[in-house]
Amino acid sequence: MGNLVGSWRSREPSTVEECDSTWGSDSESDGPAAEDDSGISESISPVESERATGQSRDTSPQPTDSPEPTPKMKRSFYAARDLYKYRHSYPNYRKSRQPNEYRNLRFYMNKIPLVPDGIYIEEILTKWKGDYDKLEHNHTYIQWLFPLREQGLNFYAHELTQDEIKEFQSTREAKRRFVAAYSLMLDFYGIKLLDKSGKVSRASNWQGRFQHLNESHHNYLRITRILKSLGELGFEAFKAPLVQLFLEESLCNSTLPNMQHSVLEYFVYTIRLPATRRRLLRFACQHYKPPHAFLWGPPSKKPCGSSGVGLSSGIRAPAPTPEQRRREEESSTSVCSRIKVSSHDTIMCQDLAEAGPQGCPELQSNMSRQEWGKREG
């Protein structure tokens, strides 16, 4: 019996809709999270509103005069699945058989240096701030500053464990340095951390740094990692203010236009509380251009805020059969040129393409640690 329980694996989602509980309900609690003091109020989803009024959902196709966007964009299943696993605390996570050395915690206690550079956390915090060339071109520190329960591309960095997370969250010195590291990276991006609740604003150097960030797409991967790590180490409330700022700058102020898709496809979905995600997506919908191309709304056509801008019709097709999935995969090479892909996904594809056969999920595990250690996590 013990072996059967130990080998049980949670069923993983197979569609974007199964990965995304923002507008519905699943195991992600819709109640207020203990750590969520971001100040973003809870919104009521269309599903909840209909339940409260006793109205049934109309799932029939809705007529629309909005033309289809060209080229047509679509949501990334790989992004949705990755962030589903993160929000659900890696349901099929296997505890390592190696002794738990708490290397991430010891690094933040300034007891061991990051590998392979041999640099201690205090040196990074005191000497690297404002050294934007070093922060841009060094690709080994980010996995140490913002550890996760998943392997990055620096194989010298260690994955977090459940026990280490608990110990880290109860260690004041480690948490103090972690916030300082977060502030260091925000300054690199032209952003200032205002207080202990996680509120942020433009820094005095924002113009030059935003211009750089708008063209430096690999930093979007770093930001996704930073947001995930904030949630793992007890700073979930810090996420929403940063994502809100990125939405405002990319959609309203046009200072970070290249970041739009990454904010909506990745950054928003690192947030674990569905009500907070809904609030951010409603804000995004009101400012997204063209409105009919907005992909991240509820499954049925609903008004988006007071402006009355409609969300995408979102009529969900039945889940594809295994045979349909196989045919889609075989024909993907012929249609990929017609699909517009975000810069975030493009960077990931470029990393794989440079290393070997494109799209091979086993590629990373077959490469040498030294080669992958030079790449971004």
Side-chain angles (χ1 to χ4, degrees), residues 210-211 213-214 246 249-250 253-260:
F210 278 18
Q211 183 177 358
L213 182 57
N214 191 53
F246 283 141
E249 297 295 349
S250 61
N253 302 329
S254 298
T255 53
L256 295 170
N258 292 339
M259 186 185 278
Q260 284 186 18

Side-chain angles (χ1 to χ4, degrees), residues 126-163:
T126 57
K127 296 183 179 180
W128 286 30
K129 187 169 185 178
D131 192 341
Y132 300 143
D133 285 340
K134 183 172 290 184
L135 291 169
E136 173 66 26
H137 298 297
N138 185 304
H139 298 293
T140 58
Y141 70 90
I142 198 73
Q143 296 87 0
W144 286 88
L145 287 189
F146 301 99
L148 299 174
R149 278 183 284 174
E150 55 190 71
Q151 181 64 59
L153 299 184
N154 177 356
F155 280 89
Y156 295 105
H158 283 225
E159 298 176 33
L160 280 171
T161 65
Q162 293 274 18
D163 293 338

Side-chain angles (χ1 to χ4, degrees), residues 4-16:
L4 290 175
V5 173
S7 62
W8 180 84
R9 290 176 61 84
S10 172
R11 176 187 174 275
E12 293 190 355
S14 57
T15 65
V16 170

Side-chain angles (χ1 to χ4, degrees), residues 22 29-30 40-43 273-280:
T22 303
S29 171
D30 205 28
I40 295 183
S41 61
E42 181 173 342
S43 302
L273 190 63
T276 305
R277 296 201 300 273
R278 290 197 297 271
R279 172 64 179 265
L280 292 168

Side-chain angles (χ1 to χ4, degrees), residues 86-373:
Y86 165 76
R87 294 195 308 272
H88 288 77
S89 299
Y90 305 94
N92 290 322
Y93 174 80
R94 290 186 176 182
K95 189 173 182 179
S96 174
R97 295 182 179 180
Q98 300 297 324
N100 194 337
E101 299 177 351
Y102 288 13
R103 291 180 65 85
N104 298 291
L105 177 58
R106 290 165 61 201
F107 168 69
Y108 263 102
M109 294 298 290
N110 210 44
K111 293 182 178 179
I112 62 172
L114 68 82
V115 181
D117 299 66
I119 304 170
Y120 286 83
I121 181 64
E122 274 301 315
E123 180 178 350
I124 295 175
L125 297 179
T126 57
K127 296 183 179 180
W128 286 30
K129 187 169 185 178
D131 192 341
Y132 300 143
D133 285 340
K134 183 172 290 184
L135 291 169
E136 173 66 26
H137 298 297
N138 185 304
H139 298 293
T140 58
Y141 70 90
I142 198 73
Q143 296 87 0
W144 286 88
L145 287 189
F146 301 99
L148 299 174
R149 278 183 284 174
E150 55 190 71
Q151 181 64 59
L153 299 184
N154 177 356
F155 280 89
Y156 295 105
H158 283 225
E159 298 176 33
L160 280 171
T161 65
Q162 293 274 18
D163 293 338
E164 187 176 22
I165 289 173
K166 293 178 182 178
E167 192 69 24
F168 196 108
Q169 292 183 0
S170 63
T171 306
R172 179 177 297 181
E173 183 179 356
K175 293 178 69 175
R176 176 185 63 79
R177 288 195 175 107
F178 182 78
V179 173
Y182 178 56
S183 181
L184 172 79
M185 293 305 297
L186 289 182
D187 175 75
F188 174 58
Y189 297 134
I191 301 169
K192 182 179 180 180
L193 181 63
L194 297 178
D195 56 35
K196 294 181 179 180
S197 71
K199 293 180 181 178
V200 293
S201 68
R202 290 176 174 177
S204 59
N205 63 344
W206 72 271
Q207 288 181 306
R209 300 316 302 162
F210 278 18
Q211 183 177 358
H212 173 80
L213 182 57
N214 191 53
E215 301 298 333
S216 180
H217 299 161
H218 78 97
N219 274 296
Y220 304 166
L221 298 173
R222 289 176 167 181
I223 292 170
T224 300
R225 184 181 189 93
I226 290 169
L227 288 165
K228 285 182 175 182
S229 191
L230 285 169
E232 294 285 54
L233 297 177
F235 295 91
E236 179 73 20
F238 280 34
K239 295 179 186 178
L242 182 61
V243 175
Q244 177 74 38
L245 182 143
F246 283 141
L247 286 173
E248 292 172 359
E249 297 295 349
S250 61
L251 295 175
C252 305
N253 302 329
S254 298
T255 53
L256 295 170
N258 292 339
M259 186 185 278
Q260 284 186 18
H261 196 78
S262 290
V263 180
L264 290 165
E265 191 79 340
Y266 290 85
F267 302 173
V268 168
Y269 288 95
T270 66
I271 295 173
R272 290 189 167 113
L273 190 63
T276 305
R277 296 201 300 273
R278 290 197 297 271
R279 172 64 179 265
L280 292 168
L281 290 174
R282 285 198 174 101
F283 172 85
C285 178
Q286 293 176 20
H287 299 280
Y288 193 86
K289 299 293 188 298
H292 65 264
F294 190 78
L295 303 175
W296 300 272
S300 58
K301 189 172 182 179
K302 296 289 178 183
C304 186
S306 58
S307 65
V309 178
L311 296 171
S312 60
S313 60
I315 302 301
R316 294 181 180 176
T321 65
E323 177 63 20
Q324 288 173 327
R325 291 197 194 99
R326 184 184 65 79
R327 291 178 180 177
E328 289 176 359
E329 291 173 358
E330 290 176 351
S331 62
S332 61
T333 55
S334 64
V335 300
C336 64
S337 60
R338 300 196 299 271
I339 301 296
K340 187 175 180 181
V341 182
S342 75
S343 58
H344 195 297
D345 292 328
T346 301
I347 293 297
M348 289 183 172
C349 293
Q350 287 174 347
D351 280 346
L352 290 174
E354 291 169 5
Q358 296 186 21
C360 176
E362 291 80 24
L363 181 61
Q364 178 175 330
S365 62
N366 293 334
M367 294 192 65
S368 68
R369 290 173 179 256
Q370 290 81 1
E371 184 174 353
W372 277 102

